[in-house]
Amino acid sequence: MRIGREAMGTELADFLRRQIRQTGPMTVAEWMALCLGHPRHGYYMTRDPLGAAGDFTTAPEISQMFGELLGLWAAQCWLQSGQPDPVHLVELGPGRGTLMADALRATRRVPGFHQALRVHLVETSHTLRERQRQTLAGVEVTWHDRLAEVPAGPLLLLANEFIDALPIRQFERTTRGWAERKVGLDEEDSFTFLLDPRPGDTLVPPALRNADIGAVVEICPAGQAVAREAGERLAAHGGAALFIDYGYAGPSAGDTLQAMRGHAYAPLLEAPGEADLTAHVDFTALAEAARAGGAKSWGPVEQGSLLQSLGIAHRAASLKRVAAPDQADGIDAALDRLTGDAGMGRLFKALAVTGPDTSAPAGFE
């Protein structure tokens, strides 16, 4: 018998209540990790969340231009680094596989590039792995649960809207100092936010420790760990990484944790496992982590600026020359959504990471 989503959500809610009763309130990071990644009932484990029928739409689903340009960016980095063979082309959180499919199609005429490529997808959801397998039919792909499983060697890494879904910890400044925000149960057995009574300022950046009472600071240890690991690999073996997400150049205070369901904001603690949970990315913290791994960081730059410098306007014009009028209108709309100030152009940022002896990659000169 197939279990409906609401029933699965109830099972996860019951599991979370038992956990809280047994071990006490859990950190926001623990809550996010379970809501998104519980092996049976986690949000990403039970569905394809993308597209009109899902909860959100990412840039690769908006237009083929996005993945094509990122693929060409990776190919240029490969040429710039001496055309290593083999080279591992890795995508973190590849969704439906759309970005990778577009990237591979756009680069098929780069001499020697596809022959050198070893394609890897880091994906924990078996539901999404199956969708990726369909999208990339005919492509030799190796799947992994984590970046550490990718073999050593030169690396070309793409991560679009990956870091924002990694668990964060939240700290709030009170009259008694900084306290970690946690998820517990109220008198009616409903999930609620509360503050740990113990001091919790060890992770708060020094520049923010005197923030106003009530200020919230978010830290993403998992994201920083990924950036550092990428930095270590690039320092040792060469290549480049590109992180694109919505976020800011920190340090900065602010509560950015949000839940998305049906393309609309949803209550954060309602229906665990039934909504996407994300937070804005601190690109300064990512860059610092990558440099701590021995790599060089570039940016962040705004997504609109990056895509324009990579030639998205030229690509849009090329597509429109062979498009029907309604298709041409769609291309213009996609271009505006990806690069415009009112769309993703300013809110989304891009950070590049390379080996320590590499010059600036395309779009970050």
Side-chain angles (χ1 to χ4, degrees):
M1 181 177 69
R2 184 175 177 83
I3 301 175
R5 286 187 182 177
E6 294 299 336
M8 290 190 295
T10 300
E11 289 189 37
L12 180 58
D14 290 342
F15 170 81
L16 292 168
R17 286 189 178 92
R18 289 196 300 271
Q19 286 289 102
I20 291 171
R21 293 191 194 104
Q22 291 172 5
T23 61
M26 59 180 62
T27 66
V28 172
E30 292 168 334
W31 172 268
M32 288 184 68
L34 289 169
C35 288
L36 298 178
H38 184 279
R40 288 189 58 206
H41 308 307
Y43 176 79
Y44 284 113
M45 303 301 172
T46 57
R47 75 207 67 208
D48 176 353
L50 294 155
D55 296 313
F56 58 89
T57 301
T58 59
E61 306 297 329
I62 293 171
S63 171
Q64 68 186 73
M65 297 183 289
F66 185 82
E68 289 172 346
L69 292 177
L70 265 58
L72 292 169
W73 182 89
Q76 179 60 39
C77 290
W78 176 72
L79 293 168
Q80 191 173 326
S81 59
Q83 305 177 38
D85 185 358
V87 62
H88 301 295
L89 177 61
V90 181
E91 186 178 356
L92 306 181
R96 293 173 169 173
T98 305
L99 189 157
M100 183 60 74
D102 291 338
L104 292 174
R105 184 184 61 256
T107 57
R108 64 183 183 273
R109 295 182 180 176
V110 178
F113 187 51
H114 281 208
Q115 289 78 6
L117 287 183
R118 304 296 184 267
V119 179
H120 304 266
L121 300 181
V122 176
E123 177 62 70
T124 58
S125 168
H126 292 288
T127 299
L128 288 174
R129 282 192 185 192
E130 184 54 39
R131 188 64 185 265
Q132 294 153 15
R133 189 173 285 108
Q134 296 169 10
T135 302
L136 294 166
V139 178
E140 186 174 341
V141 178
T142 304
W143 277 268
H144 307 278
D145 287 333
R146 56 191 64 85
L147 177 59
E149 297 174 2
V150 176
L155 177 71
L156 298 169
L157 184 146
L158 302 174
N160 178 62
E161 290 198 55
F162 174 76
I163 301 296
D164 69 271
L166 295 181
I168 64 164
R169 296 175 69 176
Q170 289 188 320
F171 299 87
E172 181 176 330
R173 189 157 191 243
T174 72
T175 55
R176 295 175 296 167
W178 288 94
E180 184 160 14
R181 183 179 287 182
K182 293 192 171 184
V183 180
L185 297 171
D186 63 18
E187 295 179 354
E188 297 178 355
D189 214 28
S190 296
F191 299 110
T192 186
F193 285 115
L194 49 80
L195 295 177
D196 191 324
R198 297 168 297 180
D201 65 349
T202 56
L203 293 182
V204 176
L208 297 177
R209 289 185 181 170
N210 292 322
D212 294 339
I213 302 299
V216 174
V217 170
E218 297 173 338
I219 308 294
C220 185
Q224 294 174 23
V226 169
R228 176 159 187 152
E229 182 178 1
E232 291 171 347
R233 294 176 69 108
L234 292 169
H237 304 288
L242 182 63
F243 296 93
I244 299 181
D245 230 309
Y246 51 90
Y248 55 93
S252 178
D255 182 356
T256 72
L257 182 63
Q258 61 189 26
M260 293 292 296
R261 189 177 186 187
H263 298 269
Y265 293 112
L268 275 168
L269 302 183
E270 184 178 284
E274 293 301 308
D276 187 30
L277 301 176
T278 68
H280 288 209
V281 174
D282 181 350
F283 281 93
T284 300
L286 280 191
E288 290 174 349
R291 292 196 298 269
K296 184 183 292 186
S297 67
W298 307 86
V301 300
E302 294 176 352
Q303 176 176 291
S305 173
L306 174 66
L307 295 178
Q308 292 289 3
S309 69
L310 296 180
I312 193 170
H314 176 78
R315 179 56 177 152
S318 177
L319 290 173
K320 287 170 63 178
R321 281 195 291 270
V322 295
D326 60 331
Q327 293 174 321
D329 290 342
I331 294 168
D332 284 336
L335 177 63
D336 185 62
R337 188 171 177 185
L338 291 173
T339 64
D341 290 351
M344 305 168 74
R346 296 192 67 183
L347 175 61
F348 280 67
K349 309 294 192 301
L351 176 76
V353 181
T354 67
D357 301 322
T358 305
S359 57
F364 295 86
E365 291 85 350

